[in-house]
Each structure stands twice: as structure tokens, then as C-alpha cells.
Amino acid sequence: MKYQMLKDMLMRDIYVDFIREQIKSGDKVVALEADLAKCSGMIALQKEFPDRVINTGIAEQNMASVAAGLAAYGFIPFIHSFGPFVTRRICDQIMISICYAKQNVKIIGSDPGITAELNGGTHMPFEDIGVLRSIPDILIYEPTDNVEFKKILPQILAHVGPVYVRMYRKVPPSVYDENKDETFNLFKAKVIREGSDVTIIASGIMVAESLEAAKMLEAINISAEVIASPIIKPLDTETIIKSLKKTKAAVTAENHNVCGGLRSAVSEVIVENYPVPLRCVGVKEKFGEVGKQAYLKTAFSLNAIDIMSAAKEVLTNK
Amino acid sequence: MTMNEKKKNESTRTTQQLKKLAQEIRVNIVDCIGSIGVGHIGGCLSIADVLAVLYGKHMRINPSDPQLDGRDRLVCSKGHAGPAIYSALAAKGYFDKAELKTLNKGGTKLPSHCDMNKTIGVDMTTGSLGQGLSCAVGMAIGSKIRNDGSYIYAIVGDGESQEGQIWEAAMLAAHKKLDNLIVFTDYNHMQIDGTIEEINDIAPLDKKWSAFGFRVFSIDGHDVDAIDATISRAKKSTAKPIMIILNTIKGKGISFVEGAKVGCHSMPLSAEQCELAKKEILAQAII
Ligand SMILES: Cc1ncc(C[n+]2csc(CCOP(=O)(O)OP(=O)(O)O)c2C)c(N)n1
Ligand SMILES: [Mg+2]
């Protein structure tokens, strides 16, 4: 079989391959689905390992608490549904059965923000991070690309405690070169481009947009530093503040409501540690709607050009 | 002509009209989903006949006054069947048929899942499965308070019936004796990951609903006469909410969609397939 470059893979396949390895090599990991195994790709494993892949049917609340029960029995459950149905729909089950009860359950929400595309407003989570961020102990992680996700998955498994993963399903934009021996730490943000005038802090699909924006800014003599911040809770304060001490201006970029997501998390940290002006790119208190990604990016102002404008604007406030 | 013959002629005419409307709805569904090339075709086609009977005969509504006070309402709790609802609304003249081809395009009034704030004639926003039936219960309680004599209809999926909230809604509806609430289950035996029986079986469905306090009917969900007669009976019933289990086929009416079985939940539709599909639908003789 021809080797497939990581950057060409569906992100969901990286998840499913990882679970397959774990099921084959150990007796702890179980995967739960609520009638979206076809969408995550887990359907293949459901046939291969019917004991270890449990499909609860369309019953997400039940799935979450069943997972907590499995965790109490020593298993490490990974539960999946579309982002909104595995966060806001089951918020109390995550809070009580999983987090408050201290059960080691991993939560995979697919199609973050506008990547829900044609499924539209009901399926387009702009609030998932906000909903979960106020619950103690849970980690919130949004992969930057396939290279990073593949290396972070073992760390998610090794971490004892709940983790929410905001997983893209299709082929995500590629940021890291898989041939370079890049290392990743679940708890760390990463400076992926150095600059001196402004720091752009981004997550998910907005990282690639931010790199694009940085190039556009360079053309007009603005030097932008770009930080990929896949870990949104707990935020990597150290890396962010260190950069802001150099640039003294911040822009956040996220595929989520700016209320409750990355912008909120970054604001909290800089206000307490090192106040600098901040502008944000993200969904501005709107609900989702149907459309293809290109349309939605423009409808919600999530393009590189929007990041560039925000950067130019924040500089006038320095 | 004797009285009896007259009656018989009239009922044949009604049957033919309803069948024709169902046919039109199916053609519209193909145009609607075909315009974007992919969509929830299976679960749209399985409810075309019940929609024909509701919109063609039973619902007290007025397309030129969509917000009419005290009108009958329909909550499509399985919100992914939006295109089926739009197809019925277009057939009734709520909006132009050409609009069906804007499905899911940026800025459209016709999103994949039902949205009461975007589409004229849609009575409730749905798409997160399990919630619509509760909304219908709320409407039925509202109608009782107002005493406006309206009927509230709801359509739930069989897969959707795995959601706990469906049964919370059921319990309250019976407790409140909502005999103005008529619920249909689209019992097509399929969800996304497999058959209902493989994934999480809901049988015996009739017994579950009667245990929850509903008056239950189980009929052929593609027989417009049976649907029509059952709704008429349901309307005469008192003190209990109604469950009409529609025994259906996912993808009904288009053989290659039906043939895709579980795969027809959401599938691509090429322009050629659309033409084939419409030919097949229109070739069905109406007797
Ligand atoms: C709360 C929630 N969970 C998951 C989904 C994703 N989803 C959409 S349709 C569907 C299957 C529905 O099956 P069924 O109710 O049987 O519908 P039908 O066969 O009539 O299309 C699922 C899981 C959703 N829309 N809402
Ligand atoms: Mg079904």
C-alpha cells in the first residue's frame, strides 16, 4: 500500500487509527458512539471489535454517563458525536457523571464551528468551548493539524482526567511538516512564526489563516508573531505572556464565538498578568447557518484578511 | 347515482388527489436535494405520504396567512427532513417552487434542518434530535389553554426515539391528556449507523407508547387512505394523545434510493440520477 502523507489524511482517520492501535495493544480503551460512527469512521472498528466499540444509538446523555460508568470500572472511554451534541447537549452529564465524579473520559466533538457546513445552525458549535470552559479539571484541546494531532493523542490518553477534543473530520489545512521531527506537548502553545510588532494567537483552522495573515502583514512592514494555541484550557500562559512582553499587542483568532472561547481565555490571562491591547477575530455573538466553508468564512469574517485588519487596528492602540 | 356511489366517487377522488400530492412532494424533494447534490433523501421520502395527507386534507392552515391564529401546526421533530417539509409547503403555495433549489446555499431560507425563523410555514425549529416532540407538547398545552380547537401534529424518527427526551415528552403529554396531539413515528427501521434493530432496538414500539398512555395505531405509512382514515379516527378520540406508527420504507418511491438501504440516510444525487428518479416517481400510476 502506498504511504499516505499525514497532511493528506482525513483527521478522523488519525483518531480511528489511534483507537484501533489501543484496542489491539491494550485492554483499557473503549470507544462510544451515538449513531455517528459512520461520520467518525469508527464504524469499521465497530465491526472489527464489537465488544470495544459501543453504539448507544441516538442518546448522547446516556452515552456520557455510560462512559462514566465504564471509567469507574477501569476503562478509558472515548465518546464521540458532532460537537454540539457531545458538549452543550450533555453539559450536565459531563459536569456531574464525568468531571465532578472524576472519571477519566475523553470527549471527541467533530465538525467544530463553521466546518459543520451544510448541517447548519443546529449542528454548528460556536459555544462548545464556552460551555465547557467553566467546568473544573476538563482540558480543552483543538488540534492544529494532522501532524500535531497524531503526536498529541497518546498524551491525551496518558493524561488522567477528562479531555475535550474539537476534531475536524475532513482533511485539515496543513501547518507542520511531518518530515521535521517536531515535538508537541499537550499543555503547550507553540510560537510557529516569530515577529516583533503584534502576536496573533490562534487555534484550529484559524492557525493556517493566521500564518497567511502574517505574510500579508509582512508585505506592509508589520512583523507578526504567530502562536498556535491548541490547548485552550488550561491556557499556556507562559508562552503567550512571553510573546506579548515582546510585541505588546494581541490578536486572537478562533472558529468559535469570541464570547467564551480563545479570546475570553487570552483576555483573562493578559488582564491579570500583562495588560496589552487586544482585538479578536471569531464569531461575534451569532448563531450558525448553512453554507459551504468558503461562504461561512466570509459570512462570519474568519478570513486571513480579517486577522490582518484586526492586527492593523490593534497597533493603533499600542 | 345512489348516495353510496356518490360517496364512493368522492372518496376515490380524495385518494387520487392525495396520491398526486404525494407524488408532487417526492418530485419536489428530488429537485430540492438534487440542486445541491447531496442530502437526507431517505428520511424525506419516507414521510412524503403522511405530509400529503396532512397538508392535502387534514391541517387547518392557510398558505396566504401562514401565521394564522389557532391554525393546526406540524413539528417535524426529525429536523433533517426539512427538504420534505419545504417540498410540501411549495406544493401548497407557501413559496415558489424555484426556491426549493436554494437548499443549503449560502444565505438560503431553506436550510438542511427546519428553521421556523427562516422558512415561511415551518412551525418549529428542529435538528437537534429529541427536542421537537417536547415543543409540540408545549403547543398542545397552549392550544388547550386558549381553547382554540387546533391540532398539533409531530413527526418523530424511529432512531430519534432512542433519545430520552422523547419519553419525557410522552409522559407529560399523556399526563396532561393532550388529545389534540397527534404524533407519528416514521418507523423505517433505519438510522445512520445501521438498522434500529442492530443499534439500539426500540421494539415493541406500540406497547411502549400505549404503556406511556397514548392511544396507538400502527398502519402502512405509504397508504394515504389508511393515514387519512386513522387521522380522522384519532380526531374523534378523547382524553389521550395519539401515536400513529407509520410502517415505512426509507427512500420509498425511488428504487435506487431504497436499494441503498441504510446508506440512503444521506447520499449524493447526480443530475442524471435526479432525472431517473423523477421519471420513476411520475411513472407510478394513480388509481
Ligand atoms: C441530538 C442529535 N444527535 C445526533 C444527530 C445526528 N443525526 C441526524 S439524523 C440521525 C439519524 C436519525 O435517524 P431517524 O430518527 O431514524 O431518522 P430517519 O431514519 O427518519 O431519517 C442522526 C444520528 C442529531 N441531528 N441530533
Ligand atoms: Mg429511521
Side-chain angles (χ1 to χ4, degrees):
Chain A
M1 203 171 71
K2 211 173 131 247
Y3 176 75
Q4 195 180 14
M5 295 281 288
L6 273 177
K7 69 173 174 52
D8 300 327
M9 283 178 74
L10 302 173
M11 192 178 263
R12 68 174 201 185
D13 287 346
I14 292 178
Y15 168 58
V16 174
D17 287 350
F18 176 74
I19 297 292
R20 181 186 285 108
E21 286 310 307
Q22 296 311 314
I23 290 180
K24 279 188 174 163
S25 64
D27 57 6
K28 284 220 154 63
V29 168
V30 287
L32 284 85
E33 290 280 349
D35 199 31
L36 289 173
K38 215 172 255 174
C39 302
S40 67
M42 194 60 75
I43 195 91
L45 294 197
Q46 190 177 306
K47 301 213 165 97
E48 226 177 307
F49 307 102
D51 293 346
R52 303 281 290 278
V53 180
I54 299 144
N55 200 321
T56 63
I58 313 170
E60 297 79 9
Q61 296 168 306
N62 191 40
M63 172 171 72
S65 298
V66 166
L70 282 159
Y73 228 81
F75 291 96
I76 305 178
F78 282 67
I79 68 176
H80 163 264
S81 182
F82 287 150
F85 308 137
V86 84
T87 58
R88 61 161 197 250
R89 179 75 188 236
I90 61 169
C91 190
D92 196 47
Q93 283 75 14
I94 292 178
M95 169 74 194
I96 300 302
S97 303
I98 297 175
C99 295
Y100 186 55
K102 300 202 186 302
Q103 294 308 317
N104 189 10
V105 176
K106 317 301 180 189
I107 303 161
I108 313 293
S110 58
D111 292 356
I114 59 167
T115 70
E117 296 194 298
L118 300 191
N119 272 329
T122 51
H123 290 53
M124 195 167 282
F126 291 152
E127 67 297 319
D128 51 328
I129 297 173
V131 161
L132 297 186
R133 213 162 63 81
S134 57
I135 300 176
D137 292 343
I138 194 166
L139 307 190
I140 301 176
Y141 164 75
E142 178 164 10
T144 306
D145 76 353
N146 286 342
V147 174
E148 178 202 277
F149 188 40
K150 191 176 160 81
K151 290 194 177 166
I152 289 290
L153 272 167
Q155 299 178 38
I156 289 174
L157 178 65
H159 173 78
V160 181
V163 181
Y164 171 52
V165 179
R166 233 180 164 228
M167 186 182 77
Y168 199 82
R169 262 197 303 154
K170 302 177 188 159
V171 181
S174 158
V175 171
Y176 299 108
D177 182 350
E178 69 175 289
N179 298 314
K180 284 196 189 135
D181 212 14
E182 196 105 31
T183 57
F184 299 95
N185 179 330
L186 174 59
F187 291 91
K188 297 301 283 180
K190 214 177 174 70
V191 176
I192 54 174
R193 180 189 167 108
E194 295 200 9
S196 52
D197 297 328
V198 56
T199 303
I200 303 169
I201 304 149
S203 56
I205 58 167
M206 297 308 285
V207 175
E209 294 294 328
S210 298
L211 286 172
E212 186 67 33
K215 272 192 220 146
M216 289 155 62
L217 286 162
E218 189 175 33
I220 54 167
N221 291 322
I222 297 172
S223 162
E225 180 142 306
V226 178
I227 295 181
S229 182
I231 188 76
I232 295 160
K233 181 188 171 115
L235 202 65
D236 176 7
T237 310
E238 197 188 321
T239 303
I240 291 169
I241 296 299
K242 190 173 161 211
S243 171
L244 291 177
K245 282 188 171 159
K246 179 170 69 175
T247 63
K248 300 186 170 54
V251 170
T252 56
E254 64 195 301
N255 171 25
H256 183 278
N257 192 350
V258 295
C259 170
L262 184 66
R263 177 259 219 157
S264 296
V266 170
S267 302
E268 288 159 18
V269 155
I270 64 179
V271 164
E272 285 191 358
N273 292 277
Y274 191 75
V276 295
L278 177 145
R279 288 292 175 275
C280 62
V281 172
V283 178
K284 309 257 164 84
E285 294 283 357
K286 281 187 187 161
F287 292 106
E289 59 173 288
V290 286
K292 300 238 164 101
Q293 234 185 91
Y295 165 82
L296 295 167
K297 265 189 179 167
T298 304
F300 292 104
S301 306
L302 299 177
N303 285 303
I305 189 129
D306 302 301
I307 300 173
M308 176 175 166
S309 309
K312 277 169 36 187
E313 197 192 314
V314 79
L315 289 183
T316 65
N317 282 270
K318 244 185 173 176
Chain B
M1 224 187 309
T2 65
M3 256 317 242
N4 260 351
E5 277 172 337
K6 239 186 184 167
K7 242 186 165 169
K8 202 170 157 227
N9 276 350
E10 203 172 292
S11 93
T12 316
R13 205 163 45 239
T14 310
T15 306
Q16 286 176 343
Q17 277 167 356
L18 294 179
K19 281 187 177 168
K20 242 185 135 77
L21 181 56
Q23 201 171 47
E24 187 181 349
I25 291 172
R26 285 198 166 87
V27 168
N28 286 355
I29 290 170
V30 172
D31 279 335
C32 186
I33 294 177
S35 69
I36 189 108
V38 63
H40 296 110
I41 182 97
C44 283
L45 291 168
S46 58
I47 61 169
D49 301 293
V50 71
L51 292 179
V53 179
L54 286 173
Y55 283 99
K57 181 164 178 196
H58 282 277
M59 281 175 75
R60 191 177 62 190
I61 45 172
N62 181 357
S64 52
D65 185 6
Q67 297 294 322
L68 178 74
D69 233 16
R71 70 187 183 280
D72 290 348
R73 300 183 195 218
L74 171 65
V75 177
C76 186
S77 195
K78 38 170 272 188
H80 56 283
I85 305 294
Y86 312 150
S87 295
L89 292 172
K92 286 294 284 183
Y94 278 82
F95 45 80
D96 201 274
K97 264 184 204 168
E99 193 151 342
L100 291 171
K101 300 199 172 171
T102 67
L103 182 79
N104 283 344
K105 306 241 160 71
T108 186
K109 290 182 195 146
L110 305 181
S112 51
H113 296 76
C114 297
D115 189 327
M116 67 191 292
N117 298 303
K118 290 214 161 88
T119 315
I120 293 171
V122 166
D123 289 317
M124 191 62 220
T125 296
T126 51
S128 183
L129 293 170
Q131 302 187 20
L133 183 56
S134 300
C135 301
V137 168
M139 292 173 182
I141 293 173
S143 163
K144 288 277 179 196
I145 297 171
R146 290 259 167 82
N147 200 18
D148 58 11
S150 72
Y151 282 97
I152 308 299
Y153 298 95
I155 302 175
V156 302
D158 46 6
E160 182 185 18
S161 303
Q162 293 158 343
E163 287 283 4
Q165 189 176 350
I166 291 292
W167 303 97
E168 296 177 25
M171 203 183 293
L172 184 66
H175 179 73
K176 294 281 182 198
K177 302 190 169 50
L178 300 177
D179 50 16
N180 57 341
L181 177 71
I182 299 178
V183 187
F184 302 92
T185 300
D186 180 3
Y187 207 178
N188 58 28
H189 297 267
M190 286 176 196
Q191 51 191 111
I192 292 180
D193 287 343
T195 63
I196 304 286
E197 290 71 21
E198 285 167 329
I199 302 298
N200 190 0
D201 201 357
I202 59 174
L205 193 59
D206 50 349
K207 295 210 174 75
K208 281 199 175 82
W209 282 98
S210 35
F212 269 77
F214 276 59
R215 177 151 185 227
V216 182
F217 301 88
S218 181
I219 59 171
D220 177 349
H222 300 305
D223 178 344
V224 290
D225 285 331
I227 301 170
D228 177 17
T230 309
I231 295 174
S232 297
R233 277 178 74 189
K235 283 177 167 170
K236 289 195 192 103
S237 165
T238 55
K240 281 183 172 190
I242 307 292
M243 165 51 69
I244 302 175
I245 297 172
L246 299 172
N247 295 289
T248 56
I249 294 165
K250 206 159 172 169
K252 173 74 180 179
I254 305 175
S255 43
F256 73 84
V257 179
E258 270 182 47
K261 298 252 154 67
V262 164
C264 83
H265 179 76
S266 172
M267 65 189 274
L269 271 192
S270 68
E272 298 86 79
Q273 282 177 316
C274 288
E275 284 318 306
L276 262 173
K278 286 197 277 186
K279 258 199 198 130
E280 182 179 347
I281 294 164
L282 293 169
Q284 292 278 320
I286 292 193
I287 32 164

